Amino acid sequence: MTTTVLYTILSLSGLGAVAAMILYAAAQKFKVYEDPRIDQVEEALPGANCGGCGYPGCRQFAEALVKADDISDYYCPVGGNDTMKEVAQILGREVAEQEPKVAVVRCNGSFQNRKRTSIYEGPSSCAIEASLFGGETDCQYGCLGKGDCVEVCDFEAIFMNEETGLPYVIDDNCTACGACVDACPNNIIELRKRYKKDRKIYVSCVNEDKPAAAKKACQVACIGCNKCVKVCPFDAITLENNLAYIIPDKCKLCRKCVDVCPTNAIAEIGFPPRRNKRRNAKKESADQEQSKNQS
Amino acid sequence: MSNNVLTVSPSPHVYQSTTVRKLMYGVVIALLPTLAWSVVSFGIGAIIVTLVSVISCILFEYLIERFLLKRTPSITDGSAMVTGLLLAFNVPANLPVGIIIIGALVSIGIGKMSFGGLGRNPFNPALVGRVFLLISFPAQMTRWPIPKGFNTSYVNAQTGATPLGMLQEKGEATVSKVMESAPSYGDLFYGQMGGSLGEMAAFALIIGLIILLYMRVISWHIPASIILSTGVFTGILWLVDPTQYADPLFHLLTGGLLLGAIFMATDYVTSPMVPKAMWIYGIGIGVLTVIIRVFGSYPEGVSFAILIMNAFVPLLNRYIKPKRFGEEVQHG
Amino acid sequence: MLKTFTKGGVHPAENKITQDKAIEKAGLPKKVIIPIAQHIGAPSSPVVKKKDQVKAGDVIARSQGFVSSNIHASVSGTVAKVDHVVDASGFKQPCVVINAEDDQWADGIDTSDALVKDIDASAEEIRQKVLEAGIVGMGGATFPSHVKLSIPEGKHVDTLVINGVECEPYLTSDHRVMLERAEEMLVGIRLLMKALGVEKALIGIENNKPDAIAHLNEWLGDDPQIEVYGLKVKYPQGGEKQLINALLDREVPSGGLPLDVGVVVHNVGTALAVYEAVQKNKPLVERVVTVTGPSLTHPTNLLVRVGTPVGELIEAAGGLPEDTGKVVSGGPMMGKALKTLDAPVVKGTSGILVLPQKWAHREKELHCVRCAQCVDACPMGLEPYLLKQLAERERFEDLEKNSVLDCIECGSCSFTCPARLPLVEYIRYGKTNVNQIIRNRKQQ
């Protein structure tokens, strides 16, 4: 018995040693030299492999960073400025501070606001529906509601609201990687500047139709009346193709535009309820108008 | 102008009437002659085995889909019933209920659901279950009852060797010696031999084949290629040495060859898509079956042969493409 | 044995309920909406503006480039606007909207019913008149016909094939044209033969139209140049590649044109339009449209002006039934579902099919069971189940290798799939993206 055990141990150990020597020799012979800094940079990156930086994965981003001479244009939206500062330290270069952004869905054409005029039965994909039919409503620009944006999000930051038929973004999870922006065939989602307390002011519409057609299709459409452009004290609003657009960098969140919009197309998110009686009255009458139209 | 809200969808706007469910029920109908004959021959045992198998398969599919996969159960598409029936036809009529249930669990759970459900499994689920049972419960799975009509008892049925078993056990004796005690061709054709529920009655299986072809459930390529290749290979062996090797007709009528060729190998999900690939698949099954029967240590090889060829199907599908319209004359 | 094409094909229920209904002339619409892009190729450019007075047959948009087509006013009246109007799919298309007044035709157009049999025009003149008259493929493809009559250098044509197959279920407009306007159509065929310089023409007709086959044979008598062939009924025999395969046993190469096998194919409606253009100076402004459906009270074949809103056609067929679920422009296999009944009839509209609720909805989709029925059905020898999988996973390079661009989108695969998979949509999605990739590749 003992001899069996002895022979077993000896032969297996011998095999193991031979195998180890072969593997070591192969590892040495076929070794590829990699800049050790790539590993260091990859450590500092979040490891989400989301593609928000423009590269297929964090490792490729790390390689690009190490290779580049000037990394001030490179930005990881998931890690943000903190991660970029760390990377800059490792590589001994400078990075510019970038503004944090968040994804914003610029459409308020819910089932209540935008009547469905046809029933779509086909593959449940926004891209396919957008190419074949202009959606189930009279607004061909608006959200199709099939959730291509929800599918591509790696960070569980966007979900479909079953009651309204529109997606909603969870700001805390959103890393502004841009996947949903690319997925939306109607370019409804935009990466906009993050303000404090997650406040937002934006034109919640991408409809470029003439006023009559836009309003007929959706009650809260932007009709391009120009009132917001005129009232903005900071020149932050432009109007093109019957559609207003609020430039994030210039907007100071004063909300004058929200007051004057006749169709309530400009969304204000994250503000406390108004104390101004006049503003309240106008908002109330607009809400009443809406509920009258629905019944 | 209308107030109707119209439905829009991409073309086409009509369908032909066959659905997956109709195809599955077509298979069930084709299996009925065999089922009827096995009940007549094996009695209560056949009924119990079939019922337990079918009900367990459907139940396991429902439970797994509802509680593990958390999606709408799809038991109405009929595929679980077909798996249950085919599993039952592959086991002896005196198999204890517990073993059947385990077989159903393996067939559905491992053979089908672990891959995601209908359409996603690479191996034939009923065969996965059957082979699992054969290897785990070899004693129970090789005690074949002799058909004694409807009054055959269930667990205490009198058992005997199958014709292939006799061939396997012949040892030094010649084939003709074995043939003296083996059932005659007539008996083989009409199912008067020991065996599993589904493999005995050649005539019932052939009726099933005609039903399947008539209802356009399967195409003729796979059954034809398996039967032809088995016949040719065993024919060659028999011509070389008739004392050692049984003749082709014997091989065709015994064992699960006809059951396998008509019902098991033609399973949609695990068989190739293009006729040329189907021929290669069928020839592979035939050759492997004969090799296992003649040179291997198992008396019957169809189940293993089919499972092995199932593994090759993705490769066949990838490299054997149908001939495209306008392919030969290249646009230049 | 009747001929048919060899690969694939399916047999949808024929439902030719309007095949015995003679062509009725539809009443003049109150206004017409004429899109300026009714054909394959570059959209035309409008040459009229708001408030202009036009007569029926006046040019209202000129073709832009070789593969393009002229558009003519189909009624006389005042141009209401030249603007974007929402079309049948919900997208805005540029259109010319004309409010109809009287029924005056432009000068030089012969609107009588007299048959003009003698052919005086030369081949070049015929081509020019076809170009001027804005004739496009009337089978539904809407490819500008003059392009098909201009044979490029190095190519050679020996046979003209006339497509009288009408393989789509429900549609009967070509059938009625062959029965009621056979003489004019035959003159049109001779005009096409002269323009192409061929001595032989074959008319392919499916065997479910025995009266049309008999009627044409009667008119042709012993004509050595034109022959009528009855073909076994199978969808999609009307596809030009399949028709050429059935009649002449030639296979158009992958990525090629019928020209590569020496054939040019034209629809019977196109032949009739060519007759009217060359012999009567009448541009393409009206066509026969089958208005059909199981619940309609008065399904019929109507001769309508291009630009008539679809709703008016349905009114003429007895009004929209209560149980309507879907309205399709074209046949049930390849037709496009309409979002609104305000959409206009265009040059390629061969039929309007009104489907009741019970047939308007898609059935539940299962997972592919790998039954290979789609592979058997595909007339182009493709593997639709594989193309769908690749398109879903956006593997466009693999799609190109699997010849997705050969797909003629006939719908046979989706029709036959027992699991009710939406095969054609995914293949279309794949084709769009592969074409985009090829375009990008060429640019680099």
Side-chain angles (χ1 to χ4, degrees):
Chain A
M1 231 295 268
T2 347
T3 40
T4 323
V5 174
L6 189 63
Y7 284 145
T8 314
I9 295 177
L10 278 176
S11 54
L12 284 176
S13 313
L15 269 175
V18 168
M21 282 192 283
I22 296 177
L23 283 173
Y24 180 72
Q28 289 306 310
K29 182 161 163 41
F30 298 116
K31 193 178 189 136
V32 173
Y33 174 73
E34 264 189 350
D35 192 331
R37 293 179 297 168
I38 298 181
D39 285 326
Q40 287 176 315
V41 171
E42 197 190 350
E43 274 291 308
L45 293 176
N49 288 318
C50 69
C53 51
Y55 290 88
C58 297
R59 178 115 194 131
Q60 285 79 0
F61 188 44
E63 284 171 4
L65 281 168
V66 169
K67 249 198 283 219
D69 293 323
D70 173 19
I71 62 168
S72 49
D73 280 335
Y74 290 74
Y75 184 67
C76 167
V78 182
N81 290 313
D82 295 332
T83 302
M84 292 315 290
K85 280 206 205 91
E86 224 184 296
V87 168
Q89 249 186 344
I90 298 174
L91 297 175
R93 295 188 207 134
E94 304 262 315
V95 290
E97 278 252 351
Q98 299 248 11
E99 257 174 7
K101 291 199 183 167
V102 70
V104 171
V105 177
R106 296 177 302 157
C107 176
N108 199 11
S110 59
F111 296 130
Q112 295 80 19
N113 291 333
R114 191 170 51 135
K115 210 159 59 108
R116 287 336 191 223
T117 54
S118 61
I119 306 171
Y120 169 74
E121 282 184 5
S124 197
S125 151
C126 302
I128 293 186
E129 192 181 343
S131 66
L132 291 173
F133 302 101
E136 292 177 297
T137 66
D138 284 337
C139 169
Q140 70 179 85
Y141 304 90
C143 174
L144 297 148
K146 297 289 179 288
D148 277 9
C149 50
V150 178
E151 260 185 62
V152 296
C153 181
D154 283 333
F155 301 99
E156 298 195 347
I158 184 167
F159 292 99
M160 195 56 72
N161 182 331
E162 303 292 336
E163 280 182 12
T164 59
L166 298 168
Y168 63 93
V169 175
I170 301 179
D171 291 344
D172 287 336
N173 294 351
C174 176
T175 59
C177 69
C180 56
V181 179
D182 290 333
C184 178
N186 281 352
N187 289 324
I188 293 174
I189 308 184
E190 190 194 2
L191 294 179
R192 293 176 70 89
K193 174 175 149 179
R194 253 192 223 258
Y195 291 91
K196 65 176 173 46
K197 297 191 194 171
D198 283 334
R199 287 182 177 166
K200 299 190 193 71
I201 302 276
Y202 58 93
V203 178
S204 185
C205 180
V206 287
N207 185 315
E208 293 177 9
D209 275 340
K210 297 218 180 83
K215 184 91 179 147
K216 186 161 172 250
C218 174
Q219 288 165 4
V220 292
C222 169
I223 54 175
C225 63
N226 218 22
K227 287 200 184 134
C228 54
V229 178
K230 283 194 269 212
V231 83
C232 179
F234 305 103
D235 278 338
I237 311 186
T238 58
L239 187 76
E240 204 183 321
N241 289 330
N242 301 306
L243 178 65
Y245 176 73
I246 299 177
I247 305 168
D249 290 327
K250 291 196 182 165
C251 174
K252 303 278 182 269
L253 304 182
C254 72
R255 296 187 281 166
K256 287 211 173 71
C257 52
V258 181
D259 290 338
V260 298
C261 179
T263 54
N264 273 341
I266 303 185
E268 58 163 327
I269 313 282
F271 290 87
R274 297 163 186 283
R275 270 172 297 176
N276 185 326
K277 265 196 260 189
R278 191 172 63 80
R279 280 179 175 179
N280 267 342
K282 179 180 178 289
K283 189 157 188 341
E284 251 183 59
S285 73
D287 285 343
Q288 270 176 2
E289 188 73 25
Q290 250 184 31
S291 52
K292 235 197 305 178
N293 286 338
Q294 282 167 31
S295 54
Chain B
M1 274 301 286
S2 74
N3 287 326
N4 297 36
V5 174
L6 296 173
T7 304
V8 290
S9 54
S11 62
H13 308 283
V14 284
Y15 296 106
Q16 48 91 14
S17 52
T18 312
T19 55
V20 171
R21 195 193 303 185
K22 283 201 188 149
L23 290 171
M24 291 297 143
Y25 287 149
V27 176
V28 171
I29 292 174
L31 283 169
L32 287 178
T34 313
L35 180 62
W37 189 252
S38 66
V39 168
V40 162
S41 310
F42 286 119
I44 195 83
I47 298 180
I48 294 179
V49 169
T50 311
L51 268 178
V52 170
S53 178
V54 170
I55 293 177
S56 323
C57 281
I58 296 181
L59 189 66
F60 283 129
E61 178 159 314
Y62 175 77
L63 290 173
I64 293 176
E65 290 211 303
R66 175 100 193 277
F67 296 113
L68 276 181
L69 297 175
K70 294 203 177 58
R71 61 184 191 205
T72 341
S74 62
I75 51 175
T76 49
D77 64 16
S79 55
M81 185 195 276
V82 171
T83 305
L85 275 174
L86 288 175
L87 177 65
F89 284 8
N90 269 300
V91 300
N94 56 0
L95 197 64
V97 167
I99 297 182
I100 303 172
I101 294 180
I102 293 175
L105 181 60
V106 171
S107 280
I108 296 291
I110 299 180
K112 190 167 156 197
M113 285 301 148
S114 66
F115 294 102
L118 182 63
R120 299 166 170 97
N121 47 301
F123 296 107
N124 189 316
L127 285 179
V128 168
R130 194 251 180 181
V131 166
F132 178 85
L133 289 182
L134 181 63
I135 296 179
S136 312
F137 304 102
Q140 291 93 322
M141 280 291 285
T142 48
R143 269 192 347 225
W144 309 101
I146 304 175
K148 287 243 183 269
F150 192 74
N151 291 319
T152 318
S153 61
Y154 173 36
V155 183
N156 294 320
Q158 183 183 9
T159 59
T162 62
L164 279 177
M166 290 180 208
L167 198 59
Q168 181 80 3
E169 301 297 322
K170 74 174 174 27
E172 290 301 311
T174 61
V175 167
S176 32
K177 195 82 173 43
V178 175
M179 288 306 182
E180 282 165 27
S181 38
S184 68
Y185 290 132
D187 286 339
L188 290 176
F189 195 70
Y190 287 105
Q192 295 305 318
M193 58 174 172
S196 68
L197 282 174
E199 68 186 31
M200 320 166 326
F203 80 99
L205 290 167
I206 291 177
I207 293 177
L209 173 66
I210 295 173
I211 294 178
L212 285 178
L213 289 174
Y214 175 73
M215 289 176 74
R216 291 169 176 265
V217 175
I218 62 170
S219 65
W220 57 271
H221 303 90
I222 294 179
S225 55
I226 295 177
I227 292 174
L228 268 171
S229 58
T230 308
V232 166
F233 195 2
T234 49
I236 293 174
L237 288 173
W238 179 66
L239 285 171
V240 164
D241 188 356
T243 56
Q244 284 302 315
Y245 304 113
D247 59 278
L249 194 56
F250 182 80
H251 273 285
L252 282 177
L253 289 176
T254 56
L257 185 81
L258 281 176
L259 179 67
I262 299 171
F263 290 102
M264 315 298 295
T266 52
D267 173 40
Y268 291 137
V269 184
T270 52
S271 59
M273 312 283 276
V274 178
K276 210 195 299 187
M278 289 179 186
W279 274 98
I280 298 178
Y281 174 71
I283 291 173
I285 292 177
V287 167
L288 280 170
T289 302
V290 177
I291 289 178
I292 296 176
R293 278 185 180 180
V294 170
F295 303 112
S297 57
Y298 273 101
E300 169 58 286
V302 176
S303 325
F304 299 108
I306 296 179
L307 285 175
I308 293 173
M309 287 313 290
N310 281 158
F312 279 99
V313 165
L315 198 66
L316 289 173
N317 278 333
R318 191 183 167 125
Y319 287 109
I320 299 183
K321 301 282 183 190
K323 182 152 172 299
R324 272 192 297 121
F325 186 96
E327 185 179 7
E328 275 170 359
V329 186
Q330 283 304 315
H331 180 57
Chain C
M1 261 279 280
L2 284 176
K3 296 202 230 192
T4 185
F5 59 100
T6 42
K7 192 182 277 289
V10 291
H11 298 273
E14 292 171 31
N15 284 318
K16 302 271 190 186
I17 55 183
T18 48
Q19 65 182 351
D20 296 319
K21 303 272 195 309
I23 301 175
E24 289 175 34
K25 206 164 170 150
L28 271 185
K30 287 195 223 24
K31 77 166 186 222
V32 292
I33 307 165
I34 305 183
I36 62 173
Q38 296 180 38
H39 48 266
I40 294 184
S44 316
S45 174
V47 296
V48 292
K49 48 187 195 309
K50 196 166 165 174
K51 301 233 184 83
D52 279 356
Q53 290 285 341
V54 289
K55 293 212 189 98
D58 278 340
V59 178
I60 53 173
R62 283 240 168 254
S63 69
Q64 299 294 304
F66 186 47
V67 185
S68 185
S69 178
N70 287 339
I71 312 271
H72 301 80
S74 55
V75 292
S76 59
T78 321
V79 175
K81 59 178 170 175
V82 178
D83 196 8
H84 284 76
V85 178
V86 177
D87 76 353
S89 303
F91 298 116
K92 293 209 304 267
Q93 303 281 2
C95 300
V96 175
V97 182
I98 305 176
N99 289 328
E101 291 150 20
D102 303 326
D103 189 19
Q104 292 194 353
W105 288 84
D107 301 325
I109 297 180
D110 177 357
T111 51
S112 72
D113 284 334
L115 176 71
V116 181
K117 216 169 165 180
D118 301 320
I119 299 178
D120 300 323
S122 71
E124 185 52 43
E125 282 169 351
I126 296 175
R127 268 196 285 275
Q128 195 52 36
K129 282 205 161 168
V130 167
L131 168 71
E132 281 294 321
I135 298 185
V136 299
M138 307 269 280
T142 66
F143 190 77
S145 301
H146 64 272
V147 178
K148 278 202 203 176
L149 293 177
S150 315
I151 314 296
E153 280 292 319
K155 301 271 193 208
H156 166 74
V157 180
D158 58 71
T159 314
L160 169 68
V161 167
I162 297 292
N163 190 345
V165 168
E166 206 161 39
C167 52
E168 281 259 19
Y170 284 104
L171 299 184
T172 54
S173 49
D174 287 349
H175 186 179
R176 295 311 306 180
V177 164
M178 286 192 286
L179 279 176
E180 297 177 40
R181 306 193 64 184
E183 281 198 271
E184 295 155 292
M185 189 197 86
L186 287 171
V187 175
I189 294 177
R190 286 183 224 280
L191 284 166
L192 285 169
M193 283 167 69
K194 188 160 182 188
L196 285 169
V198 297
E199 302 281 310
K200 191 108 184 85
L202 304 175
I203 309 179
I205 307 179
E206 269 190 344
N207 213 30
N208 54 5
K209 300 183 250 294
D211 47 358
I213 299 176
H215 188 73
L216 283 177
N217 270 323
E218 220 184 286
W219 274 112
L220 283 170
D222 287 325
D223 192 322
Q225 294 194 321
I226 309 180
E227 258 187 85
V228 176
Y229 275 99
L231 297 167
K232 185 159 162 263
V233 179
K234 191 156 70 156
Y235 178 88
Q237 193 138 236
E240 52 181 20
K241 296 186 181 177
Q242 276 62 43
L243 185 58
I244 295 173
N245 184 243
L247 285 173
L248 296 164
D249 211 10
R250 300 182 199 174
E251 262 189 32
V252 176
S254 164
L257 292 168
L259 213 48
D260 295 326
V261 290
V263 181
V264 168
V265 182
H266 280 287
N267 180 273
V268 291
T270 313
L272 180 64
V274 167
Y275 161 80
E276 292 193 325
V278 177
Q279 308 288 73
K280 308 271 195 128
N281 286 322
K282 188 170 159 207
L284 180 54
V285 291
E286 61 183 6
R287 65 159 297 150
V288 180
V289 176
T290 306
V291 188
T292 178
S295 317
L296 284 177
T297 49
H298 179 60
T300 176
N301 298 294
L302 282 173
L303 180 65
V304 292
R305 304 284 173 104
V306 166
T308 309
V310 166
E312 290 198 21
L313 272 73
I314 299 183
E315 284 305 313
L320 193 70
E322 274 295 313
D323 63 348
T324 300
K326 195 190 266 192
V327 177
V328 176
S329 163
M333 296 295 288
M334 285 178 79
K336 203 143 200 272
L338 296 175
K339 252 181 98 159
T340 159
L341 296 177
D342 295 332
V345 165
V346 293
K347 293 182 188 175
T349 308
S350 41
I352 300 291
L353 171 62
V354 179
L355 288 170
Q357 285 288 357
K358 63 173 187 256
W359 292 332
H361 297 283
R362 291 200 150 193
E363 297 182 28
K364 180 158 172 263
E365 233 179 88
L366 296 173
H367 190 270
C368 171
V369 291
R370 309 182 69 78
C371 62
Q373 299 225 17
C374 55
V375 181
D376 290 334
C378 179
M380 298 303 288
L382 302 171
E383 294 178 283
Y385 76 95
L386 179 65
L387 298 176
K388 169 184 181 270
Q389 263 190 351
L390 293 174
E392 260 181 321
R393 287 158 177 72
E394 312 215 333
R395 287 168 54 174
F396 300 121
E397 288 80 21
D398 287 329
L399 272 174
E400 199 186 343
K401 284 202 204 94
N402 275 293
S403 322
V404 71
L405 293 178
D406 278 356
C407 171
I408 58 174
E409 297 182 28
C410 64
S412 302
C413 49
S414 289
F415 172 80
T416 209
C417 179
R420 306 296 189 243
L421 294 173
L423 296 165
V424 185
E425 285 92 271
Y426 280 103
I427 296 178
R428 260 195 216 120
Y429 178 66
K431 277 172 82 173
T432 318
N433 282 289
V434 169
N435 276 322
Q436 184 65 43
I437 291 176
I438 293 179
R439 264 198 293 270
N440 292 345
R441 212 188 288 157
K442 281 205 186 121
Q443 278 175 0
Q444 280 166 7

